[in-house]
Amino acid sequence: MRILGLDVGSTYIKVALFENERLTLLERDKTSYQPLERCLQYIHKYKPDQVVATGYGRNLINNNFSNCITLSEIKAFAMGAHFIHPKVRTILDIGGQDTKVISLDEKGKVVKFEMNDRCSAGTGRFLEIMCKALGFEIEELNQLDLDEEVKVKISSLCTVFAESEVISLIAQGVPREEILKSIYFAIVYKVVSMLKRITVTEDFIFAGGCSSNKNLKKFLENQLKIRVITLEESPFLGAIGAGIFGISQIKR
Amino acid sequence: MGEDYIKMWENLGIDLENHDCLLKALAEFYQQIYLSQENRPEGMKYFDFVVSEAHGLRIKELLEAKQQGKKVVGVFCVYVPEEMIRAVDGICVGLCAGAQIGFEEAEKVLPKNTCDLIKAFIGFKLTQVCPYTESCDLLIGETTCDGKKKAYEILNKLTQKVYVMEVPHMKTERGKELFLKELFALKNKLEELSQQTMTLERFKEEVKVVNEKRKALMRLEKLRSYDPAPISGLDALLVNQIAFYDDPVRFTQKVNELCDELEERVKKGIGVKPKGTPRILITGCPFALPNWKLHHMIETSGAVVVGEESCIGRRYYHSLVPEDFSSIEEGIKLLAERYLKTPCACFTPNPERIEEIQNMAKELKAQGIVYYSIQFCTPYLFEAYQVESAVDLPFLRIDTNYSTEDIGQLKTRCEAFIETL
Ligand code: SF4
Ligand code: SF4
């Protein structure tokens, strides 16, 4: 029995393949302008018995492919994280266009969650736009070794206003590493305010596309005073969760 | 018939081009959201018909009544007593608007960070698309939230027809006294408008008429407490929205007929969704026609909406006016007491609202509460905190507007919330 979990996000499509309940493959690709075509390619390639879609584009797949079920990203992340790390109690996911925080009970059930609204403040997109303004490539961010002392402050979390703040800091001659730190600080500030609305406990997993950013992780740990776990599978938790959901549905 | 309507709209000063856009959008929306629902009760046919004729037949009725000398009075808030308008042979229509129409125009005269409800009624006026607004002889505003208060000044500039009644912001003895005085002043205003003196007999009749309407809506609400729910939240919402436009006697009869059918459904265990479907209570801002966004989102995410603690909902029919008074003064006093019970967030403090939410959640067997605020609505946004800390059910806050651009994210939140129930 082959089950394909698809997490159709705004930036990446993440794929998890389960064969006889064993996770056998993880893969991802840019979403681009044709998410449906890309997903159908995956489906043709792996010929699953069941497709389970989550993420922003889940209904697009569901509406165009008959053998598909869907679930929300929140539940998918919870199931995926619980599968990989059964002790997980808090999940932070910073994705391309939204940020979510989820608190779970011992059984991995969602107790409470928060998610940003339409505004992109504190999301991956926010980071991407600021990096562009600073002339950093996303790929090179991990090569920087940043200390945690924030010297300048970005006062606005709104992407548009923050970008103009960044530009004016550049004009004032502030080193771009310093500005980058203030951006991390702004993201963490936003995340912490969301986390305050749920219960935060260890084991805390940082997931989603931004979780591979080690400086962001460091800032987060510093603010939260909690150990933050990132997993190799962190970007794929949604797709894995979708697969697990598929397995549980078939068993019923 | 179509021809007749066009002439009628033209005479009302409707901008036909804008109006056409509105009607087309509405019809498409209605098809998508309402007519695609499964297991709808037969009794909804009447309400479908009313929606399809909202700008046609009902307006024709209003204009015919006007020809017989009756006055049409528009209101924006459930603190304005319909009974008094009707007692001088007036017709009361709700003018709150629930669609993103004329916003560009509205934003020229209103601050951008105004709630969509206000933007919509000003936008409707500026683009001349609402035959109800255009039919009115008098528009009654009220001093509830700051946005509305200031918007009425602008609306008056545009129409010269606005009368503002003062609504207190505290339910103290002094507040009650003020409200009572305001109702007497309103009586004078209505008598002057209609050129007739309110009689005790007519007043009593109309108190009864409006009470009967409320009773029918209470009955409808009660039927939603069964599992499986015999009617969808969307359909019940529509009935509540139509309560503000339709002729009350006919409306009451049709709601009661619908309820008879729903009672049969309950007996047979028939529902719109399977037994055990998660049940949601919505609380918050009003849902002016055609604002169906939240209900649609929840009900296409695997749950059923079983009640609205809202002005399109419980705050409209929460209690009756005693009918056994023997003078107009006494009647107005009873009216004032009843209306001031309405737990609107414009009042401070407002603990009655929390009580109401708790009662409704229990009576309707809700499993989760969705707190609905229209963006920039300060009173309801503030109260979310107190409500959330007082209720012990899963709680989801939705702060949104009339646009569709956030539907993807909201849908994810609703689905995830419902999955946790
Ligand atoms: S929410 Fe308050 S101000 Fe608005 S219609 Fe209801 S009672 Fe009136
Ligand atoms: S929704 Fe809120 S801000 Fe808008 S008119 Fe009503 S009370 Fe005022």
PDB file of all heavy atoms in Angstrom, chain B residues 76 114-118 121 142 144-148 285-286 344-346 374-380, ligand 2:
ATOM      1  N   PHE B  76     -30.428  51.173  11.501  1.00  0.00           N
ATOM      2  CA  PHE B  76     -29.108  50.539  11.415  1.00  0.00           C
ATOM      3  C   PHE B  76     -28.758  49.769  12.671  1.00  0.00           C
ATOM      4  O   PHE B  76     -27.620  49.352  12.838  1.00  0.00           O
ATOM      5  CB  PHE B  76     -28.028  51.609  11.199  1.00  0.00           C
ATOM      6  CG  PHE B  76     -28.232  52.429   9.961  1.00  0.00           C
ATOM      7  CD1 PHE B  76     -29.027  53.554   9.976  1.00  0.00           C
ATOM      8  CD2 PHE B  76     -27.636  52.046   8.769  1.00  0.00           C
ATOM      9  CE1 PHE B  76     -29.217  54.303   8.826  1.00  0.00           C
ATOM     10  CE2 PHE B  76     -27.827  52.797   7.619  1.00  0.00           C
ATOM     11  CZ  PHE B  76     -28.614  53.929   7.643  1.00  0.00           C
ATOM     12  N   THR B 114     -12.095  52.039   8.770  1.00  0.00           N
ATOM     13  CA  THR B 114     -13.479  52.002   9.244  1.00  0.00           C
ATOM     14  C   THR B 114     -13.988  50.594   8.999  1.00  0.00           C
ATOM     15  O   THR B 114     -13.579  49.964   8.038  1.00  0.00           O
ATOM     16  CB  THR B 114     -14.331  52.988   8.408  1.00  0.00           C
ATOM     17  OG1 THR B 114     -13.780  54.288   8.530  1.00  0.00           O
ATOM     18  CG2 THR B 114     -15.770  53.005   8.860  1.00  0.00           C
ATOM     19  N   CYS B 115     -14.881  50.112   9.863  1.00  0.00           N
ATOM     20  CA  CYS B 115     -15.383  48.750   9.669  1.00  0.00           C
ATOM     21  C   CYS B 115     -16.184  48.665   8.364  1.00  0.00           C
ATOM     22  O   CYS B 115     -16.771  49.647   7.922  1.00  0.00           O
ATOM     23  CB  CYS B 115     -16.219  48.303  10.866  1.00  0.00           C
ATOM     24  SG  CYS B 115     -17.974  48.636  10.682  1.00  0.00           S
ATOM     25  N   ASP B 116     -16.204  47.466   7.790  1.00  0.00           N
ATOM     26  CA  ASP B 116     -16.846  47.282   6.485  1.00  0.00           C
ATOM     27  C   ASP B 116     -18.351  47.517   6.506  1.00  0.00           C
ATOM     28  O   ASP B 116     -18.938  47.873   5.488  1.00  0.00           O
ATOM     29  CB  ASP B 116     -16.552  45.871   5.947  1.00  0.00           C
ATOM     30  CG  ASP B 116     -15.213  45.826   5.225  1.00  0.00           C
ATOM     31  OD1 ASP B 116     -14.484  46.838   5.281  1.00  0.00           O
ATOM     32  OD2 ASP B 116     -14.907  44.799   4.600  1.00  0.00           O
ATOM     33  N   LEU B 117     -18.951  47.301   7.664  1.00  0.00           N
ATOM     34  CA  LEU B 117     -20.390  47.514   7.733  1.00  0.00           C
ATOM     35  C   LEU B 117     -20.721  48.985   7.441  1.00  0.00           C
ATOM     36  O   LEU B 117     -21.631  49.305   6.685  1.00  0.00           O
ATOM     37  CB  LEU B 117     -20.866  47.110   9.124  1.00  0.00           C
ATOM     38  CG  LEU B 117     -22.358  46.895   9.317  1.00  0.00           C
ATOM     39  CD1 LEU B 117     -22.586  45.759  10.286  1.00  0.00           C
ATOM     40  CD2 LEU B 117     -23.034  48.136   9.814  1.00  0.00           C
ATOM     41  N   ILE B 118     -19.945  49.853   8.013  1.00  0.00           N
ATOM     42  CA  ILE B 118     -20.161  51.279   7.798  1.00  0.00           C
ATOM     43  C   ILE B 118     -19.761  51.661   6.367  1.00  0.00           C
ATOM     44  O   ILE B 118     -20.493  52.356   5.661  1.00  0.00           O
ATOM     45  CB  ILE B 118     -19.355  52.104   8.821  1.00  0.00           C
ATOM     46  CG1 ILE B 118     -19.879  51.810  10.231  1.00  0.00           C
ATOM     47  CG2 ILE B 118     -19.428  53.591   8.501  1.00  0.00           C
ATOM     48  CD1 ILE B 118     -19.056  52.426  11.347  1.00  0.00           C
ATOM     49  N   PHE B 121     -22.612  50.718   4.004  1.00  0.00           N
ATOM     50  CA  PHE B 121     -23.840  51.514   3.861  1.00  0.00           C
ATOM     51  C   PHE B 121     -23.559  52.894   3.272  1.00  0.00           C
ATOM     52  O   PHE B 121     -24.379  53.433   2.528  1.00  0.00           O
ATOM     53  CB  PHE B 121     -24.749  51.485   5.104  1.00  0.00           C
ATOM     54  CG  PHE B 121     -24.341  52.280   6.327  1.00  0.00           C
ATOM     55  CD1 PHE B 121     -24.315  53.664   6.320  1.00  0.00           C
ATOM     56  CD2 PHE B 121     -24.062  51.609   7.518  1.00  0.00           C
ATOM     57  CE1 PHE B 121     -23.998  54.372   7.471  1.00  0.00           C
ATOM     58  CE2 PHE B 121     -23.731  52.317   8.672  1.00  0.00           C
ATOM     59  CZ  PHE B 121     -23.697  53.703   8.644  1.00  0.00           C
ATOM     60  N   GLU B 142     -28.177  56.097  15.440  1.00  0.00           N
ATOM     61  CA  GLU B 142     -28.135  56.016  16.892  1.00  0.00           C
ATOM     62  C   GLU B 142     -26.699  56.167  17.359  1.00  0.00           C
ATOM     63  O   GLU B 142     -25.763  55.907  16.607  1.00  0.00           O
ATOM     64  CB  GLU B 142     -28.790  54.718  17.381  1.00  0.00           C
ATOM     65  CG  GLU B 142     -28.114  53.382  17.132  1.00  0.00           C
ATOM     66  CD  GLU B 142     -27.390  53.167  15.834  1.00  0.00           C
ATOM     67  OE1 GLU B 142     -28.006  53.273  14.763  1.00  0.00           O
ATOM     68  OE2 GLU B 142     -26.185  52.863  15.874  1.00  0.00           O
ATOM     69  N   THR B 144     -24.265  54.612  18.937  1.00  0.00           N
ATOM     70  CA  THR B 144     -23.694  53.402  19.531  1.00  0.00           C
ATOM     71  C   THR B 144     -22.174  53.464  19.429  1.00  0.00           C
ATOM     72  O   THR B 144     -21.529  53.986  20.318  1.00  0.00           O
ATOM     73  CB  THR B 144     -24.295  52.144  18.883  1.00  0.00           C
ATOM     74  OG1 THR B 144     -24.291  52.310  17.476  1.00  0.00           O
ATOM     75  CG2 THR B 144     -25.700  51.882  19.376  1.00  0.00           C
ATOM     76  N   CYS B 145     -21.603  52.968  18.311  1.00  0.00           N
ATOM     77  CA  CYS B 145     -20.138  53.035  18.228  1.00  0.00           C
ATOM     78  C   CYS B 145     -19.709  54.355  17.579  1.00  0.00           C
ATOM     79  O   CYS B 145     -20.499  55.025  16.921  1.00  0.00           O
ATOM     80  CB  CYS B 145     -19.590  51.846  17.444  1.00  0.00           C
ATOM     81  SG  CYS B 145     -19.859  51.954  15.685  1.00  0.00           S
ATOM     82  N   ASP B 146     -18.477  54.719  17.768  1.00  0.00           N
ATOM     83  CA  ASP B 146     -17.981  55.996  17.245  1.00  0.00           C
ATOM     84  C   ASP B 146     -18.076  56.071  15.725  1.00  0.00           C
ATOM     85  O   ASP B 146     -18.417  57.109  15.160  1.00  0.00           O
ATOM     86  CB  ASP B 146     -16.519  56.203  17.662  1.00  0.00           C
ATOM     87  CG  ASP B 146     -16.417  56.555  19.126  1.00  0.00           C
ATOM     88  OD1 ASP B 146     -17.479  56.815  19.738  1.00  0.00           O
ATOM     89  OD2 ASP B 146     -15.294  56.573  19.662  1.00  0.00           O
ATOM     90  N   GLY B 147     -17.754  54.955  15.071  1.00  0.00           N
ATOM     91  CA  GLY B 147     -17.769  54.940  13.613  1.00  0.00           C
ATOM     92  C   GLY B 147     -19.148  55.287  13.076  1.00  0.00           C
ATOM     93  O   GLY B 147     -19.299  56.129  12.182  1.00  0.00           O
ATOM     94  N   LYS B 148     -20.163  54.650  13.629  1.00  0.00           N
ATOM     95  CA  LYS B 148     -21.512  54.910  13.139  1.00  0.00           C
ATOM     96  C   LYS B 148     -21.935  56.340  13.435  1.00  0.00           C
ATOM     97  O   LYS B 148     -22.478  57.037  12.584  1.00  0.00           O
ATOM     98  CB  LYS B 148     -22.499  53.926  13.779  1.00  0.00           C
ATOM     99  CG  LYS B 148     -22.445  52.554  13.132  1.00  0.00           C
ATOM    100  CD  LYS B 148     -23.805  51.890  13.109  1.00  0.00           C
ATOM    101  CE  LYS B 148     -24.017  51.016  14.305  1.00  0.00           C
ATOM    102  NZ  LYS B 148     -25.312  50.313  14.246  1.00  0.00           N
ATOM    103  N   CYS B 285     -20.031  40.526  15.920  1.00  0.00           N
ATOM    104  CA  CYS B 285     -20.613  41.605  15.117  1.00  0.00           C
ATOM    105  C   CYS B 285     -21.822  41.115  14.302  1.00  0.00           C
ATOM    106  O   CYS B 285     -21.987  39.923  14.099  1.00  0.00           O
ATOM    107  CB  CYS B 285     -19.560  42.142  14.147  1.00  0.00           C
ATOM    108  SG  CYS B 285     -18.243  43.040  14.962  1.00  0.00           S
ATOM    109  N   PRO B 286     -22.612  42.060  13.829  1.00  0.00           N
ATOM    110  CA  PRO B 286     -23.760  41.680  12.990  1.00  0.00           C
ATOM    111  C   PRO B 286     -23.343  41.103  11.624  1.00  0.00           C
ATOM    112  O   PRO B 286     -22.248  41.373  11.152  1.00  0.00           O
ATOM    113  CB  PRO B 286     -24.501  43.001  12.786  1.00  0.00           C
ATOM    114  CG  PRO B 286     -23.975  43.952  13.783  1.00  0.00           C
ATOM    115  CD  PRO B 286     -22.585  43.515  14.091  1.00  0.00           C
ATOM    116  N   CYS B 344     -25.208  44.710  23.846  1.00  0.00           N
ATOM    117  CA  CYS B 344     -24.291  45.138  22.786  1.00  0.00           C
ATOM    118  C   CYS B 344     -22.972  45.594  23.397  1.00  0.00           C
ATOM    119  O   CYS B 344     -22.942  46.211  24.458  1.00  0.00           O
ATOM    120  CB  CYS B 344     -24.925  46.272  21.988  1.00  0.00           C
ATOM    121  SG  CYS B 344     -23.767  47.120  20.897  1.00  0.00           S
ATOM    122  N   ALA B 345     -21.894  45.341  22.687  1.00  0.00           N
ATOM    123  CA  ALA B 345     -20.552  45.689  23.181  1.00  0.00           C
ATOM    124  C   ALA B 345     -20.314  47.196  23.250  1.00  0.00           C
ATOM    125  O   ALA B 345     -19.303  47.634  23.786  1.00  0.00           O
ATOM    126  CB  ALA B 345     -19.494  45.030  22.300  1.00  0.00           C
ATOM    127  N   CYS B 346     -21.240  47.985  22.719  1.00  0.00           N
ATOM    128  CA  CYS B 346     -21.082  49.441  22.835  1.00  0.00           C
ATOM    129  C   CYS B 346     -21.334  49.906  24.269  1.00  0.00           C
ATOM    130  O   CYS B 346     -21.071  51.047  24.605  1.00  0.00           O
ATOM    131  CB  CYS B 346     -22.030  50.155  21.884  1.00  0.00           C
ATOM    132  SG  CYS B 346     -21.564  49.909  20.173  1.00  0.00           S
ATOM    133  N   ILE B 374     -15.646  42.230  12.866  1.00  0.00           N
ATOM    134  CA  ILE B 374     -15.337  42.888  11.601  1.00  0.00           C
ATOM    135  C   ILE B 374     -14.115  43.747  11.881  1.00  0.00           C
ATOM    136  O   ILE B 374     -14.058  44.425  12.906  1.00  0.00           O
ATOM    137  CB  ILE B 374     -16.515  43.765  11.142  1.00  0.00           C
ATOM    138  CG1 ILE B 374     -17.766  42.902  10.981  1.00  0.00           C
ATOM    139  CG2 ILE B 374     -16.181  44.480   9.839  1.00  0.00           C
ATOM    140  CD1 ILE B 374     -19.004  43.672  10.540  1.00  0.00           C
ATOM    141  N   GLN B 375     -13.129  43.696  10.997  1.00  0.00           N
ATOM    142  CA  GLN B 375     -11.917  44.471  11.225  1.00  0.00           C
ATOM    143  C   GLN B 375     -12.234  45.922  11.595  1.00  0.00           C
ATOM    144  O   GLN B 375     -13.099  46.535  10.988  1.00  0.00           O
ATOM    145  CB  GLN B 375     -11.054  44.459   9.969  1.00  0.00           C
ATOM    146  CG  GLN B 375      -9.947  43.449  10.078  1.00  0.00           C
ATOM    147  CD  GLN B 375      -9.257  43.230   8.760  1.00  0.00           C
ATOM    148  OE1 GLN B 375      -9.503  43.930   7.787  1.00  0.00           O
ATOM    149  NE2 GLN B 375      -8.403  42.243   8.717  1.00  0.00           N
ATOM    150  N   PHE B 376     -11.537  46.413  12.561  1.00  0.00           N
ATOM    151  CA  PHE B 376     -11.654  47.787  13.065  1.00  0.00           C
ATOM    152  C   PHE B 376     -12.881  48.036  13.937  1.00  0.00           C
ATOM    153  O   PHE B 376     -13.176  49.172  14.270  1.00  0.00           O
ATOM    154  CB  PHE B 376     -11.619  48.828  11.924  1.00  0.00           C
ATOM    155  CG  PHE B 376     -10.479  48.647  10.969  1.00  0.00           C
ATOM    156  CD1 PHE B 376     -10.696  48.413   9.627  1.00  0.00           C
ATOM    157  CD2 PHE B 376      -9.168  48.686  11.433  1.00  0.00           C
ATOM    158  CE1 PHE B 376      -9.641  48.226   8.743  1.00  0.00           C
ATOM    159  CE2 PHE B 376      -8.108  48.510  10.555  1.00  0.00           C
ATOM    160  CZ  PHE B 376      -8.343  48.277   9.210  1.00  0.00           C
ATOM    161  N   CYS B 377     -13.601  46.990  14.305  1.00  0.00           N
ATOM    162  CA  CYS B 377     -14.733  47.187  15.213  1.00  0.00           C
ATOM    163  C   CYS B 377     -14.216  47.145  16.642  1.00  0.00           C
ATOM    164  O   CYS B 377     -14.106  46.074  17.244  1.00  0.00           O
ATOM    165  CB  CYS B 377     -15.798  46.122  14.992  1.00  0.00           C
ATOM    166  SG  CYS B 377     -17.034  46.169  16.282  1.00  0.00           S
ATOM    167  N   THR B 378     -13.911  48.289  17.167  1.00  0.00           N
ATOM    168  CA  THR B 378     -13.308  48.355  18.498  1.00  0.00           C
ATOM    169  C   THR B 378     -14.148  47.664  19.583  1.00  0.00           C
ATOM    170  O   THR B 378     -13.606  46.853  20.332  1.00  0.00           O
ATOM    171  CB  THR B 378     -13.035  49.824  18.871  1.00  0.00           C
ATOM    172  OG1 THR B 378     -12.358  50.423  17.772  1.00  0.00           O
ATOM    173  CG2 THR B 378     -12.195  49.941  20.106  1.00  0.00           C
ATOM    174  N   PRO B 379     -15.444  47.952  19.697  1.00  0.00           N
ATOM    175  CA  PRO B 379     -16.178  47.359  20.824  1.00  0.00           C
ATOM    176  C   PRO B 379     -16.098  45.828  20.863  1.00  0.00           C
ATOM    177  O   PRO B 379     -15.834  45.243  21.909  1.00  0.00           O
ATOM    178  CB  PRO B 379     -17.618  47.813  20.600  1.00  0.00           C
ATOM    179  CG  PRO B 379     -17.541  48.984  19.682  1.00  0.00           C
ATOM    180  CD  PRO B 379     -16.283  48.851  18.894  1.00  0.00           C
ATOM    181  N   TYR B 380     -16.322  45.188  19.734  1.00  0.00           N
ATOM    182  CA  TYR B 380     -16.328  43.724  19.742  1.00  0.00           C
ATOM    183  C   TYR B 380     -14.922  43.145  19.820  1.00  0.00           C
ATOM    184  O   TYR B 380     -14.707  42.095  20.416  1.00  0.00           O
ATOM    185  CB  TYR B 380     -17.134  43.182  18.552  1.00  0.00           C
ATOM    186  CG  TYR B 380     -18.608  43.320  18.837  1.00  0.00           C
ATOM    187  CD1 TYR B 380     -19.315  44.456  18.459  1.00  0.00           C
ATOM    188  CD2 TYR B 380     -19.279  42.364  19.587  1.00  0.00           C
ATOM    189  CE1 TYR B 380     -20.647  44.631  18.785  1.00  0.00           C
ATOM    190  CE2 TYR B 380     -20.613  42.522  19.925  1.00  0.00           C
ATOM    191  CZ  TYR B 380     -21.287  43.653  19.525  1.00  0.00           C
ATOM    192  OH  TYR B 380     -22.604  43.818  19.874  1.00  0.00           O
TER     193      TYR B 380
HETATM  194  S1  SF4 C   2     -19.504  46.371  13.467  1.00  0.00           S
HETATM  195 FE1  SF4 C   2     -18.573  47.473  15.189  1.00  0.00          FE
HETATM  196  S2  SF4 C   2     -17.567  49.236  14.289  1.00  0.00           S
HETATM  197 FE2  SF4 C   2     -18.955  48.415  12.761  1.00  0.00          FE
HETATM  198  S3  SF4 C   2     -20.834  49.568  13.036  1.00  0.00           S
HETATM  199 FE3  SF4 C   2     -21.036  47.766  14.316  1.00  0.00          FE
HETATM  200  S4  SF4 C   2     -20.288  48.320  16.351  1.00  0.00           S
HETATM  201 FE4  SF4 C   2     -19.605  49.887  14.883  1.00  0.00          FE
END
